[in-house]
Amino acid sequence: MFLPAVRSDGDGQTQSPPVLQPSGLAVLVAGIFLSVLNASMSTVVLPWVQRDFGVRDDTLVWFVTGFLIPFAIGTLVYGRLVDSLPLRPLYTAGVLVFAIGSLLIAVAPEFWTAAAARAVQGAGPTALPAMTVPAIVRAARESRRPRALGTVVLAVGFAFGIGPLAGGALAEWQGWRAPFWVTAVAAALLALAAGRWLPPLPGRGRARLDGVGLGILAGAIATAVYALNRLSKAGDDPTVTVAGASALVLWGGVVAATFVRSEPLIPRDLVTNARFAALCTFGAMAQAAHFVAVVLLPLYLARYEGLSAAATGLWLAPGAAMLGLAGIAAGSVAAGGGTQRGLVWSGWGMLVAAAMLHLLAFGWPRWGVAAVYAALAASFGFANTLTLRAVATEVPERWVGTGMGAFNLAFFLGGAAAAALAGSILELQAERTASWDPFVSAEAVEFADAALVALLAALAGFAAALAYPRLPRGTGTTWRRPPRWKPNRVP
């Protein structure tokens, strides 16, 4: 982790770096809270976005993936920039983009304008998680860092807990656009506060960003997500084949650029770190499993149960609250040295909950659906906190910002890809009465089959959690076998 460094003024005298005051910490915490609240509110309103614009299920998913793709890429970009550029203007710029994107969504006249505005919105709040932890580590006094980081975790948990309730209530009151109006106003106020109260942390040198690699990566992501989203139309739409082939070529270009260019977008030390790769895989698959549920459940509750926006938010709120509480509890587990064991158990919990979602939940009453989501969300919240803690221990100090950005890139891409594939399956199975899985007997077979994406993702994540402690530590050229993991024993 970064340690505050002293700076020298023109007379050769040393100056202490800016100290993070309570007002500055409040800005950082408010930013994380607003970012998570926006994500939690926006999925609840999906059925009413679909109803307002009259789009199909696979098209509706772009309202989600349109946000996630720039958010995922932005975590990597901001992760690189925060290591080099001053904090205050960079953070303020991200919040202003967040506000502008939210406003554009609120006034969008048709669906694709709203989806494009979601992309603009996604490019803004991605700055907030990428900068918050480095800012606390660099500017907060060492004795106050644990409390400051704990406050951030509490804000995340609280935002997840009230997000579905707030989104549903606002949508019930003034329509699905209301949460985005609120977000736009709140982000504008946050930008003013950031410009005034954030510590003026200086940059650490020239920002080195591989523009070519970034362009190839963005193309690879966009074509892959498009191909997954349009998979149900592969026989009739030649663009699906073109996009799939382009994605393979571009992902090959990403790999080549990483090992050929002198300063690649993602440092080779990270790419060749087997344990870091396992954590990225686990995080991506956990996000995939959870995000499929977050997209499917509001649509199911509105379509099959006939629930209003407020009622949908109410039934999903216990799961969101469990997510936040489990994330907070996981912090204590990590502090006690139980990270590796916790990853395995949380991965197992997600696997069991995803299996129940696929096999049973879409034939159960609404309380059963809420219970399954609560189990899945709790496991995800626990896994997310532990994974972030593990990533911080695996990334070299000089690559903290970039490493967290690379992890978040994989994390959110997992959600985007899974949501795109689930939307395609939902559209493909919409008119069918029999599930692909003979063990599924639910009436809503299209939702059960789409939830199969969550089950397969959870299975892959569990495998990555089992592999993580057994993998060698370090890069491909400096591997060393880690000590064998043993459970903590109380003397």
Side-chain angles (χ1 to χ4, degrees), residues 98 117 134 161 163 194 217 241 253 278 286-287 330 360 379 381 383-384 387 443 461 483 491:
F98 189 15
L217 177 64
T241 303
Q287 169 73 335
L360 303 171
S379 298
N384 192 31
T387 309
E443 178 186 1

Side-chain angles (χ1 to χ4, degrees), residues 37-357:
L37 184 69
N38 167 72
S40 189
M41 290 194 300
S42 60
T43 53
V44 175
V45 303
L46 283 175
W48 292 271
V49 174
Q50 184 178 40
R51 187 177 303 171
D52 192 9
F53 292 126
V55 295
R56 303 189 312 267
D57 289 329
D58 55 349
T59 302
L60 176 67
V61 169
W62 283 104
F63 194 78
V64 176
T65 56
F67 175 87
L68 284 178
I69 291 174
F71 195 99
I73 297 173
T75 57
L76 182 59
V77 172
Y78 281 111
R80 293 298 297 265
L81 295 180
V82 75
D83 287 338
S84 306
L85 300 181
L87 171 71
R88 184 185 289 174
L90 196 59
Y91 189 97
T92 304
V95 177
L96 284 174
V97 173
F98 189 15
I100 293 169
S102 301
L103 177 62
L104 292 175
I105 297 167
V107 300
E110 52 91 29
F111 177 77
W112 288 111
T113 304
R118 283 280 282 170
V120 174
Q121 188 196 41
T126 183
L128 310 186
M131 297 186 193
T132 296
V133 173
I136 290 174
V137 173
R138 289 176 60 189
R141 292 189 176 92
E142 188 171 359
S143 61
R144 296 182 180 178
R145 286 180 204 162
R147 180 175 296 180
L149 293 171
T151 304
V152 171
V153 173
L154 285 173
V156 171
F158 185 56
F160 269 122
I162 70 169
L165 288 174
L170 287 170
E172 190 78 12
W173 176 47
Q174 289 292 328
W176 68 264
R177 300 173 191 268
F180 298 101
W181 279 112
V182 171
T183 301
V185 173
L189 295 174
L190 181 64
L192 294 175
R196 180 178 178 85
W197 289 314
L198 277 186
L201 287 175
R204 297 188 166 193
R206 182 174 65 88
R208 295 179 175 89
L209 193 62
D210 181 10
V212 173
L214 180 62
I216 296 173
L217 177 64
I221 292 170
T223 52
V225 171
Y226 177 84
L228 289 172
N229 178 251
R230 300 287 295 170
L231 199 59
S232 62
K233 304 292 189 297
D236 304 321
D237 187 353
T239 63
V240 179
T241 303
V242 173
S246 300
L248 291 175
V249 172
L250 289 169
W251 278 110
V254 171
V255 175
T258 300
F259 288 94
V260 171
R261 297 183 69 81
S262 59
E263 294 183 1
L265 192 63
I266 303 176
R268 283 182 285 275
D269 283 354
L270 295 180
V271 175
T272 58
N273 186 321
R275 288 165 69 87
F276 178 74
L279 291 172
C280 287
T281 301
F282 179 71
M285 294 300 100
Q287 169 73 335
H290 177 253
F291 213 78
V292 167
V294 166
V295 170
L296 294 181
L297 290 178
L299 295 173
Y300 171 77
L301 291 173
R303 193 174 300 175
Y304 280 86
E305 298 290 334
L307 298 187
S308 65
T312 299
L314 185 64
W315 281 103
L316 295 180
M322 289 296 295
L323 192 159
L325 292 173
I328 295 170
S332 300
V333 173
T339 298
Q340 294 180 2
R341 180 171 53 182
L343 287 174
V344 172
W345 281 110
S346 60
W348 173 251
M350 291 199 70
L351 181 59
V352 172
M356 294 178 67
L357 182 71

